[in-house]
Amino acid sequence: MSRRDTTALIELLDRDPVANIFTRSQVNLHRSAAPDGFAHIAGIDGEAGLESACWVGANVAPTLMSEEEAKNFAQHALESRQRFASVFGPAQSVLAMHEVLREGPQAIFDVRGNQPLLTISHQPTGIARNRLRPARIHEFDLVLPASAAMFEEELGYSPLENGGSFYRSRVRQLIRDAHTVIDCDENGEVIFKADLGTVTEEVVQIQGVWVNPKYRGLGLASGYMSSTVDYALQFAPVVSLYVNDFNVAAVKTYERIGFEQVGTFATILF
């Protein structure tokens, strides 16, 4: 896609601002349907104009496509000869892409085919809040181990292998943007951390939720997540997240504070 496609792309993405938040945030960042760098956005036109689109970069993110279109986009992604860290988005599209990508040169590490996509548009009620505040840039060395521990628990390997320069930059930028919230104990150790991983004017997507293992099982999650939602609602009117279906405790926590399922995501990990 080129810069002249930007308006049509935004109109397409805004049909579902929750599901399309990642690509929408990238269009906002680059102010164009033709992002700077090696990533690009592919599109398919129909009789009424732009019909579907797909972000292709270090990650692949499909937007509003049929299963057959998803397979075509997956083939396009393979032909780009880029290496991917993940594919994520609406489950129907991602799982159709998997049928093509599994024949590609990159080994697939895992497929998470049922990730409830949840939203909340109001402050949680009836739940006592736990204190929470934005992390400060001088606390980078405090936040980084908590962020890395969350990542390793989720994916099974450390993001700091081989230095982890990109991951370190990501953590630092989230702190600078006031998009990481934490609570610490009296010894200065992080008890809870969460990120506003992607933010647009319409939606905030919470990512990177982590409770220190020392403090698990104490009933703290609901209070911390409610405080996180309160904070996120200062940035946009809708707060979203997606969660692995097998993380039953997390799903129950989110439902308890008022999140409701609006769709299903899937993720392919390489």
Side-chain angles (χ1 to χ4, degrees), residues 73-95:
F73 276 118
Q75 187 60 45
H76 168 80
L78 290 179
E79 291 169 359
S80 74
R81 298 184 181 276
Q82 293 179 201
R83 293 185 63 81
F84 315 116
S86 68
V87 180
F88 57 86
Q92 181 179 12
S93 299
V94 171
L95 295 177

Side-chain angles (χ1 to χ4, degrees), residues 122-140:
H122 58 83
Q123 293 184 325
T125 58
I127 297 174
R129 305 305 200 255
N130 292 332
R131 64 186 181 183
L132 207 60
R133 62 171 176 81
R136 307 179 184 99
I137 194 61
H138 70 269
E139 295 174 310
F140 171 78

